Amino acid sequence: MKVISIILILISAALSIKHGWDAFRPPSPEQAKMMANLGITETIMPYFGVFSIVLGLTLFFPQTFFLSNIFSAITIVLIMALSLRAGDTKTALIEIPFLTLPLILIWLKYPFK
């Protein structure tokens, strides 16, 4: 069980850090179109990038593990809500596995008794 938890933490942290780092790069035309549909401007992207990198790094500290996963889940739900508002159900559905990851990590760390 611990091995699975460690692997999932590493995957989650890597995804957060990668997405955060990508926020500092110029978006591809497809990414720019998607961000425009969601109502996200290029000026706000570096803030999302820093936030994502911080969330990825705080997963490794027991004191911030829970909050990091909660904020990750909230961010994913926000992306899903913006996608649904824009009429993009495909993106919202693609985010479901990414939403389950922080919730599974919380469940593995703090199982219900």
Side-chain angles (χ1 to χ4, degrees):
M1 198 67 140
K2 279 194 172 209
V3 173
I4 293 171
S5 295
I6 291 170
I7 291 170
L8 290 176
I9 289 170
L10 291 174
I11 290 171
S12 184
L15 285 172
S16 290
I17 293 169
K18 183 201 174 296
H19 286 118
W21 188 258
D22 288 344
F24 293 103
R25 295 181 174 186
S28 68
E30 181 181 306
Q31 290 171 329
K33 181 183 174 193
M34 184 180 73
M35 288 183 341
N37 286 343
L38 297 179
I40 299 172
T41 63
E42 281 191 45
T43 56
I44 202 165
M45 283 307 294
Y47 297 106
F48 279 124
V50 169
F51 183 68
S52 183
I53 290 170
V54 168
L55 286 179
L57 294 175
T58 56
L59 280 173
F60 296 113
F61 300 102
Q63 301 88 346
T64 57
F65 178 83
F66 181 76
L67 282 178
S68 179
N69 280 304
I70 291 295
F71 284 128
S72 292
I74 290 170
T75 304
I76 294 166
V77 169
L78 176 65
I79 292 169
M80 292 172 75
L82 291 172
S83 297
L84 290 173
R85 184 181 73 174
D88 187 5
T89 54
K90 180 182 174 187
T91 300
L93 292 173
I94 288 172
E95 293 294 325
I96 291 173
F98 299 107
L99 176 61
T100 59
L101 184 59
L103 300 176
I104 289 171
L105 285 170
I106 291 170
W107 178 72
L108 288 172
K109 177 84 174 177
Y110 308 104
F112 295 106
K113 295 180 180 181

